[in-house]
Amino acid sequence: MSFDVARVRGLYPTLGGGIAYLDGNFSSLLPETVIRAIITTLRSSPSQPGSQSARSQRAAASLDNARRAIGDLIGAPPDCVVFGSNVSVLMEQFAALIAREWQLGDEIVISRLDHDGTVRPWLTAAKTVGAIVRWAEVDVETGELPEWQYDRLISRRTRLVTVPLANLATGAIPNARRIAELAHAVGALVVVDAGAALPHLPLDLAELGCDLIGVPVEGFGGPTVGAMIAREGLLYELDEDSTAPVPGRYELGDLPVELLDGVVAAVDHLASLDEWATGSRRQRLVASLRAAGEYERSLFALLDRRLRAMPGVTVLGSPTNRVPLVSFAIDGRKAFEIGDYLKSRGISVWTGPSGMSLFMSTFGADELGGTVHVGLMPHTTRAEIEQLARALDEFV
């Protein structure tokens, strides 16, 4: 069966305004079910879990449901899911915890393809203990992260390796599984950021071979909540002295309880993208995300061709394996000028901070006057791609 984009668009109330939303993962739209779930929770005046009060017990049930939902999304048990206000905060927490075992002269490998929120906590942790930071570089022609360099970057002194599952600026998808195999061969931990991977392809923690994966729920149409998912047993290994139950021992401070039902609704929404998908929620998620990814790839091929054919337009990278995200610049124009013009034509793109400062510096994006980020989602249509292309032709 073909992907029914008209049905999917009907699930988003924002799409009724006539704007072509092409912000992608930088500013994803919330489906109606997520909005209603959050509103319903707020009306119940949720309390933090841990008490015998009715509101507290309801929050505990919501937390359990949210763990199960994210577990189904990533292919992990619910007791491996840790929630926090966002992925960057969770990454800082785990970086401080993991670095306690490092010694002077130990090494970590970080990639230029990583999001700033992933890089900074590990740089801080390495500086604190005197660990050596080794960098995996990006191919500036393709925007890809060559895996061959990890053969020399990873050594017996390597304690940790970070790699994104998909890059927000170019959509590049590194070979995380191969990099994880090299890291695990020397006993190093592998930390990945789901980043732009969702909702464009299904993820499986065991298949990826990583130890920790950060998932920004807001990236695929959920509320602003971060989740960190660990391989089985790791949460016990990281803090063996604690007697607090797992995974709650890692959830410091108050939880965003008013948003947890929205997390469940967002995952259920992804599972419903393919109306013909059947089976468990996990099975429906895999089928729906594959169907959405195939649909998006066909649209992105058109967008990519149109952009590269325009005079004066510079497209960053050309990765072979990618999700449907692209960044570009136009000669002699600032990114905000392009964004303003597109807005006047009823098109929403992202021109603000990308959270990819290290990566963008590698490409010399500042010298280009900044870049415009365009991303497709399961609700994007061919007509919106054509609308963008026509507007850019006029602007050029």
Side-chain angles (χ1 to χ4, degrees), residues 218-233:
E218 66 275 12
F220 58 85
T224 305
V225 176
M228 190 72 76
I229 302 91
R231 63 167 168 79
E232 286 194 72

Side-chain angles (χ1 to χ4, degrees), residues 13-29:
T14 315
L15 291 176
I19 304 295
Y21 290 97
L22 299 174
D23 310 77
N25 293 75
F26 282 100
S27 183
S28 62
L29 302 181

Side-chain angles (χ1 to χ4, degrees), residues 82-95 226-228 250:
V82 178
F83 283 112
S85 56
N86 57 65
V87 171
S88 296
V89 168
L90 288 170
M91 200 71 76
E92 289 178 3
Q93 177 185 329
F94 277 92
M228 190 72 76
Y250 298 99

Side-chain angles (χ1 to χ4, degrees), residues 26 111-120 123 135 137-138 167-169 316 327 350 352-367 370-371 373:
F26 282 100
S111 83
R112 300 282 183 190
L113 205 64
D114 275 308
H115 189 276
D116 294 347
T118 299
V119 171
R120 287 170 182 158
L123 291 181
W135 289 94
E137 301 295 344
V138 175
N167 179 263
L168 273 169
L316 269 62
S327 300
W350 189 260
S354 66
M356 302 291 301
S357 60
L358 291 173
F359 176 80
M360 301 305 282
S361 295
T362 300
F363 277 87
D366 291 340
E367 299 173 10
T371 55
H373 305 282

Side-chain angles (χ1 to χ4, degrees), residues 265-316:
V267 174
D268 286 339
H269 169 74
L270 293 185
S272 72
L273 290 175
D274 182 358
E275 63 179 322
W276 304 104
T278 59
S280 66
R281 179 165 56 189
R282 172 64 184 170
Q283 291 170 325
R284 288 182 286 115
L285 279 164
V286 171
S288 288
L289 292 174
R290 281 177 178 163
E294 291 173 6
Y295 168 74
E296 291 168 342
R297 276 190 291 275
S298 65
L299 285 185
F300 185 78
L302 170 63
L303 171 63
D304 195 50
R305 286 196 304 270
R306 296 294 295 270
L307 286 176
R308 294 180 189 277
M310 292 179 186
V313 173
T314 301
V315 179
L316 269 62

Side-chain angles (χ1 to χ4, degrees), residues 26-69:
F26 282 100
S27 183
S28 62
L29 302 181
L30 272 67
E32 178 67 23
T33 51
V34 173
I35 296 171
R36 288 184 178 180
I38 295 172
I39 291 173
T40 300
T41 303
L42 287 172
R43 284 176 174 160
S44 70
S45 297
S47 172
Q48 289 293 311
S51 171
Q52 293 303 110
S53 72
R55 290 186 298 128
S56 178
Q57 289 184 342
R58 184 192 181 284
S62 295
L63 177 58
D64 182 64
N65 290 336
R67 292 199 209 282
R68 294 180 185 278

